[in-house]
C-alpha cells in the first residue's frame, strides 16, 4: 500500500508516505443511551427553543424512559461565509450543519396541465434554501430518483419544473386503492434505501389524493385481492420513516383535492371530498406530521417548511436490554400550550442506518444503494487535481479507519446529481493491508457525490458520502488543486484527517499552468471560518517539479496551542500577473 499511495495516488506528496498510525479520536457514544429527535411548537406554530429535560417524557412501547439530557440542534444560517465546511465525510453520524430535504411528488395523483397548483411553492422553497442545504427529488409510484442529493438548488428547480401530472381522466375505486398502495410501497422503498443520516431528513410529500385503508371486495369471506390496502401498508411507511429519520410534511394542492374524473366541484361543498384525503391524513398520522392544504400563495407553506426544518431537539434516554427492531415512540411535554411533533416509530438498533439488514453486502452493492452503513467508523475526504493532457480531473479519495479495523474490501464511486455512476474504483487486496487507502478516479469538471464503501473482515459495512465540487480554483493563469492536510511522520508526509497532539500541521497544494520563468508567491493561514480573520499565518515554500509548468506549495502551521475544534486552513497564491486565488480545507483538532 505504501508504494501505491506515495507514487500514484497522493499527487501532492513531496516524500514517501508512511503507514498511518493510531490517532486520538473522540470518545464513542455511550452505548447505554440513545437519542430521540423531535420538534416543539407553541401557540400559532412558533418553534419553542427553551424546553428542559424535566418537561419531556419519552415512551418506547409501553415503557417510559428517563430523559438524561436534552439538546437543541440549530442548523447553519443562510450566510455561508461564517460557516466552517465539514472536514471530512464519515460513516459515523455527526451533528448536521444544514438541512437535508427530500421532495417526493406523487405525479400519478396530479392532473396534467394543473402543475401551477404546486410548482410555485416548491420553486419558492428551493430559492429560499441556504447554500449548504442538500435537496433530492423523486417521483412516486414510478420514476424514482430524478435528482440525487445536491446543493445545486438551481438545478433542482429545473428538474422539478420539468415534472408534470400523470393522472388519468377517470379512476375507479379499485384503481384509486391500487395507486395508493403502489405509492406507499415506492415511498417506503426509497426511505429504506436512504437509511439514517447525520440528522433528520425533511420529506416534502406532495399529492392530490390517496385512498385510506380499504378492501377491494365487500364480501368478508373473500380474501384480499391485488388492490387490497391494509392498514399495515401505512405502518410499513412509518417503519421506513423511523429508519431514515424522516420528518414528513404532507402537502395537498387545494385545486386538486378530487379524484380525477370522479367528482366535480359541487362535491367539495357536500363533503364527499373528505374520502379522497383519507390516505393522506393516515400517512401524516403514522409519520407524526400533519396534512397541509396548499392554497393559492406559496409563501406561508415555504416559510413553514423552512422554519420547521431549521432546528430540532435531541433527547438522550436510557437503553434497555430488550431494545431491538422497531418500536412505538411517543414524546410528550408537561409544558402547557406546547405541541410536540415526532415520528411514531423508532429504530432500536445500534445505528438507524443499519436497521433491518439481514444479508451480506459488498462495496459494489453499497455504491448503488441510497442508504448509508455505519457498522464501523470510517472517514474519507476527496480533493481534485489536474490530469496532464486531459480535460478531465483526477479525483483523489483518501480513506482511513481505526487501527483495530481490518478491511476486507472497498470501492469508491463518483455520482452525478442525477444519481448516475460515472466512475468507479475497486481496491485490490494489497491496498487494504493498513488503516488507510487511496483511490484515484477521473471525472470531467462538475458537481458530484463521492461515495466510499467498505467491509471489514467481520462482515461489517460502512459508507461515507461527500459532496464534491470538482473544479480547479485559479490564481491568474495558474490553476490550483485541492488542499491536502497532513503531518510529518518519520520525515515523510502523511495525510491526516484528525489532529490531536501534533505540534504542526502540513498543508500542500499543486499548481499547474505556471508561466515559464515566473515564481508566484503565497501564504498559509488558519482561521475560525472561511472568511474570518487569520489566527495565525506564515510563508509557504513553492517547489518546482520536473515539469516547469507545475509546482508544489507547502507550509507548516503551529497547532499545538489550539483548542479542540474545527478550523479553516487557507493557502493564498499570488501570481506575477493577475488576481490572487485561494483554496481552503477544514482541520479538525480533537483532545
Amino acid at each position: 500500500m505504501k508504494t501505491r499511495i506515495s507514487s500514484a495516488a497522493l499527487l501532492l506528496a513531496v516524500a514517501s508516505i508512511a503507514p498511518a498510525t493510531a490517532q486520538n479520536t473522540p470518545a464513542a457514544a455511550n452505548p447505554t443511551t440513545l437519542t430521540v429527535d423531535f420538534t416543539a411548537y407553541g401557540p400559532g406554530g412558533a418553534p419553542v427553543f427553551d424546553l428542559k429535560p424535566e418537561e419531556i417524557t419519552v415512551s418506547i412501547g409501553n415503557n417510559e424512559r428517563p430523559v438524561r439530557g436534552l439538546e437543541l440542534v440549530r442548523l447553519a444560517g443562510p450566510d455561508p461565509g461564517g460557516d466552517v465546511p465539514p472536514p471530512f465525510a464519515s460513516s459515523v453520524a455527526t451533528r448536521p450543519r444544514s438541512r437535508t430535504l427530500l421532495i417526493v411528488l406523487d405525479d400519478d395523483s396530479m392532473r396534467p396541465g394543473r402543475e401551477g397548483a404546486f410548482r410555485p411553492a416548491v420553486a419558492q422553497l428551493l430559492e429560499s434554501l441556504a447554500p449548504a442545504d442538500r435537496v433530492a427529488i423523486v417521483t412516486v409510484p414510478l420514476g424514482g430518483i430524478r435528482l440525487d442529493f445536491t446543493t445545486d438548488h438551481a438545478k433542482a428547480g429545473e428538474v422539478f419544473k420539468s415534472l408534470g401530472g400523470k393522472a388519468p381522466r377517470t379512476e375507479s375505486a379499485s384503481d384509486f386503492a391500487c395507486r395508493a398502495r403502489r405509492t406507499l410501497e415506492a415511498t417506503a422503498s426509497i426511505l429504506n434505501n436512504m437509511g439514517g443520516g447525520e440528522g433528520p431528513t425533511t420529506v416534502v410529500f406532495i399529492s392530490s389524493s390517496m385512498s385510506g385503508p380499504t378492501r377491494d371486495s365487500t364480501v368478508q369471506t373473500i380474501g384480499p385481492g391485488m388492490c387490497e390496502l391494509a392498514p399495515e401498508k401505512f405502518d410499513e411507511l412509518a417503519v421506513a420513516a423511523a429508519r431514515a429519520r424522516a420528518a414528513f410534511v404532507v402537502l395537498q394542492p387545494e385545486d386538486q383535492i378530487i379524484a380525477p374524473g370522479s367528482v366535480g366541484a359541487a362535491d367539495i361543498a357536500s363533503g364527499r371530498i373528505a374520502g379522497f384525503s383519507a390516505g393522506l391524513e393516515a400517512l401524516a398520522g403514522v409519520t407524526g406530521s400533519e396534512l397541509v392544504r396548499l392554497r393559492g400563495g406559496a409563501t406561508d407553506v415555504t416559510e413553514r417548511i423552512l422554519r420547521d426544518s431549521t432546528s430540532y431537539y435531541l433527547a438522550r434516554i436510557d437503553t434497555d436490554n430488550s431494545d431491538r427492531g422497531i418500536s412505538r415512540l411517543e414524546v410528550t411535554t408537561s409544558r402547557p400550550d406546547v405541541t410536540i411533533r415526532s415520528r411514531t416509530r423508532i429504530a432500536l438498533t445500534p445505528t438507524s442506518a443499519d436497521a433491518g439488514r439481514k444479508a451480506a453486502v459488498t462495496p459494489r452493492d453499497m455504491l448503488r444503494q441510497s442508504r448509508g452503513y455505519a457498522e464501523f467508523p470510517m472517514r474519507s475526504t476527496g480533493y481534485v487535481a489536474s490530469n496532464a493532457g486531459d480535460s478531465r480531473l483526477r479525483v483523489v479519495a483518501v480513506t482511513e479507519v481505526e487501527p483495530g479495523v481490518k478491511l476486507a474490501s472497498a470501492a469508491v464511486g463518483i455520482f452525478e446529481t442525477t444519481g448516475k455512476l460515472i466512475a468507479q474504483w475497486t481496491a485490490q487486496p494489497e491496498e487494504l493491508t493498513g488503516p488507510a487507502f487511496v483511490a484515484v478516479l477521473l471525472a470531467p469538471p462538475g458537481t458530484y457525490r463521492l461515495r466510499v464503501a467498505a467491509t471489514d473482515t467481520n462482515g461489517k459495512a460502512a459508507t461515507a458520502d461527500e459532496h464534491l465540487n470538482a473544479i480547479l480554483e485559479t490564481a491568474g493563469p495558474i490553476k490550483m488543486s485541492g488542499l491536502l492536510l497532513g503531518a510529518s511522520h518519520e520525515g515523510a508526509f502523511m495525510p491526516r484527517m484528525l489532529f490531536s497532539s501534533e505540534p504542526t500541521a502540513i498543508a500542500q497544494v499543486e499548481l499547474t499552468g505556471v508561466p515559464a520563468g515566473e515564481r508566484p508567491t503565497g501564504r498559509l493561514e488558519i482561521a475560525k471560518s472561511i472568511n474570518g480573520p487569520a489566527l495565525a499565518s506564515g510563508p509557504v515554500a513553492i517547489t518546482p517539479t520536473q515539469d516547469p509548468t507545475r509546482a508544489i506549495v507547502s507550509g507548516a502551521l503551529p497547532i499545538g496551542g489550539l483548542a479542540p475544534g474545527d478550523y479553516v486552513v487557507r493557502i493564498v497564491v499570488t501570481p506575477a500577473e493577475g488576481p490572487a486565488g485561494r483554496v481552503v480545507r477544514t482541520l479538525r483538532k480533537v483532545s
Side-chain angles (χ1 to χ4, degrees):
M1 186 182 95
K2 178 176 176 180
T3 302
R4 168 78 176 209
I5 294 177
S6 60
S7 64
L10 290 179
L11 308 173
L12 309 182
V14 295
S16 297
I17 294 174
T21 57
Q23 302 177 36
N24 294 329
T25 58
N30 186 344
T32 63
T33 64
L34 58 87
T35 56
V36 174
D37 58 86
F38 65 89
T39 51
Y41 304 92
V48 175
F49 299 128
D50 60 347
L51 287 176
K52 298 177 175 57
E54 58 269 22
E55 296 176 315
I56 298 299
T57 299
V58 177
S59 297
I60 296 179
N62 296 319
N63 299 320
E64 184 177 317
R65 305 287 179 91
V67 177
R68 302 302 186 189
L70 190 64
E71 176 187 356
L72 177 64
V73 179
R74 291 180 184 258
L75 304 182
D79 177 17
D83 197 13
V84 180
F88 46 76
S90 175
S91 62
V92 180
T94 58
R95 297 291 183 267
R97 298 164 182 250
S98 56
R99 302 179 186 90
T100 300
L101 287 90
L102 175 65
I103 299 175
V104 181
L105 177 65
D106 177 13
D107 53 2
D108 272 9
S109 75
M110 303 295 183
R111 290 174 291 174
R114 303 299 294 275
E115 291 82 6
F118 57 85
R119 277 181 182 165
V122 174
Q124 189 177 68
L125 173 63
L126 294 173
E127 292 170 358
S128 303
L129 294 177
D133 291 341
R134 299 167 63 244
V135 61
I137 299 173
V138 301
T139 55
V140 292
L142 303 174
I145 298 175
R146 298 306 183 96
L147 182 69
D148 201 357
F149 283 105
T150 180
T151 57
D152 189 343
H153 306 147
K155 176 68 173 178
E158 294 173 3
V159 170
F160 194 83
K161 187 177 180 180
S162 70
L163 303 179
K166 296 182 178 179
R169 295 180 61 85
T170 60
E171 187 174 48
S172 68
S174 180
D175 290 341
F176 188 42
C178 271
R179 170 166 65 80
R181 178 171 177 161
R182 291 193 300 268
T183 298
L184 291 171
E185 291 173 343
T187 306
S189 176
I190 290 168
L191 295 178
N192 281 327
N193 282 330
M194 283 177 54
E198 290 184 345
T201 296
T202 298
V203 177
V204 182
F205 187 92
I206 309 169
S207 176
S208 74
S209 59
M210 179 181 289
S211 171
T214 183
R215 290 179 59 88
D216 59 358
S217 173
T218 58
V219 182
Q220 297 298 315
T221 57
I222 298 178
M226 64 178 295
C227 289
E228 180 84 0
L229 185 57
E232 286 74 17
K233 285 297 174 184
F234 290 89
D235 290 335
E236 290 172 5
L237 181 61
V239 169
R243 289 174 176 163
R245 297 182 68 187
F248 270 70
V249 179
V250 184
L251 299 184
Q252 187 177 31
E254 182 181 50
D255 78 334
Q256 298 214 14
I257 310 178
I258 58 174
S262 311
V263 296
D267 294 302
I268 297 177
S270 67
R272 284 187 56 195
I273 196 63
F276 299 107
S277 301
L280 295 178
E281 292 170 350
L283 188 156
V286 299
T287 57
S289 58
E290 61 179 329
L291 179 60
V292 179
R293 310 291 190 192
L294 188 55
R295 299 184 174 92
T299 301
D300 290 347
V301 171
T302 297
E303 292 179 350
R304 180 174 183 169
I305 294 173
L306 294 173
R307 178 197 66 195
D308 293 358
S309 59
T310 302
S311 63
Y312 60 92
Y313 284 96
L314 283 176
R316 191 174 73 254
I317 63 175
D318 291 336
T319 60
D320 187 271
N321 292 334
S322 62
D323 284 347
R324 293 291 185 276
I326 307 295
S327 186
R328 185 180 63 83
L329 172 68
E330 184 178 15
V331 183
T332 58
T333 180
S334 60
R335 186 183 294 192
D337 300 323
V338 172
T339 300
I340 299 294
R341 236 176 256 155
S342 70
R343 287 177 290 279
T344 61
R345 307 289 195 280
I346 184 171
L348 295 172
T349 52
T351 60
S352 61
D354 309 318
R357 185 164 83 87
K358 299 179 181 179
V361 292
T362 67
R364 182 182 177 87
D365 296 332
M366 293 186 283
L367 286 184
R368 289 163 172 77
Q369 295 175 350
S370 300
R371 63 168 293 180
Y373 292 82
E375 295 168 11
F376 61 85
M378 180 176 73
R379 296 178 291 273
S380 179
T381 188
Y383 67 94
V384 295
S386 63
N387 190 41
D390 195 330
S391 61
R392 294 176 297 175
L393 299 176
R394 286 178 284 185
V395 177
V396 182
V398 183
T399 303
E400 63 185 22
V401 295
E402 296 302 307
V405 176
K406 297 185 182 300
L407 293 172
S409 59
V412 181
I414 298 176
F415 295 83
E416 292 182 333
T417 55
T418 59
K420 179 183 178 182
L421 177 67
I422 65 165
Q424 181 175 335
W425 175 93
T426 302
Q428 299 301 311
E430 62 269 19
E431 295 172 310
L432 301 177
T433 57
F437 63 89
V438 175
V440 181
L441 305 90
L442 297 178
T447 301
Y448 302 107
R449 176 170 61 91
L450 180 69
R451 164 163 281 206
V452 177
T455 61
D456 69 4
T457 53
N458 295 317
K460 294 182 178 180
T463 56
D465 292 277
E466 181 179 12
H467 170 76
L468 184 68
N469 191 16
I471 62 170
L472 296 178
E473 299 294 341
T474 60
I478 300 171
K479 294 183 177 179
M480 309 168 66
S481 75
L483 191 156
L484 180 63
L485 291 174
S488 178
H489 179 75
E490 298 179 354
F493 176 84
M494 180 179 66
R496 183 66 59 85
M497 294 183 211
L498 288 176
F499 294 80
S500 55
S501 59
E502 296 83 2
T504 59
I506 300 173
Q508 290 188 347
V509 169
E510 182 187 46
L511 305 182
T512 57
V514 179
E518 293 189 9
R519 292 293 301 272
T521 59
R523 69 179 184 274
L524 178 61
E525 302 175 340
I526 188 166
K528 286 294 292 181
S529 63
I530 290 179
N531 296 316
L535 301 175
S537 63
V540 296
I542 300 182
T543 307
T545 66
Q546 292 182 348
D547 182 346
T549 66
R550 292 175 177 259
I552 300 296
V553 180
S554 60
L557 279 170
I559 61 171
L562 294 178
D566 286 356
Y567 301 86
V568 175
V569 176
R570 305 186 292 235
I571 284 185
V572 180
V573 173
T574 303
E577 295 184 4
R582 72 173 186 176
V583 287
V584 302
R585 184 168 291 273
T586 299
L587 179 151
R588 174 165 293 176
K589 183 176 181 181
V590 296
S591 58

